[in-house]
Amino acid sequence: MKNKNNNVEMEGEIVQLLSNGKFKVRLTNGYFVVAHISGKIRKNFIRIILGDQVLVQLSPYDLKKGRIVRRYLK
């Protein structure tokens, strides 16, 4: 699904915690991407842990990197 900025949004699961607020995310299609936290999530001190379901925005230019824009409740 696409939003107004032509970014691709996909759901995924956090599988590994990396340094500097980055995470390895397994998308629903089976691919892995490295994603960082968006500013609103960081500003509101929303904690993301291993196994969380998240929404990731991917740039159409580089599909290996993304930005976590939402954390879903369990």
Side-chain angles (χ1 to χ4, degrees):
M1 117 193 230
K2 288 189 175 190
N3 64 1
K4 64 182 178 179
N5 296 331
N6 292 332
N7 291 333
V8 179
E9 290 185 346
M10 296 196 72
E11 295 180 3
E13 178 183 356
I14 304 292
V15 294
Q16 187 178 3
L17 308 174
L18 304 173
S19 63
N20 294 333
K22 294 187 180 179
F23 302 90
K24 187 177 244 185
V25 180
R26 179 181 31 213
L27 301 176
T28 54
N29 60 6
Y31 286 103
F32 290 92
V33 297
V34 175
H36 66 277
I37 302 174
S38 72
K40 283 195 172 193
I41 292 179
R42 191 179 300 264
K43 183 179 114 177
N44 292 313
F45 299 107
I46 296 173
R47 299 291 179 214
I48 296 178
I49 58 173
L50 202 63
D52 279 349
Q53 297 293 324
V54 293
L55 181 67
V56 180
Q57 278 185 353
L58 302 169
S59 169
Y61 303 109
D62 187 7
L63 296 175
K64 300 277 185 194
K65 296 178 184 173
R67 176 177 48 224
I68 298 172
V69 293
R70 171 171 234 155
R71 175 181 167 249
Y72 293 114
L73 298 175
K74 290 185 177 182

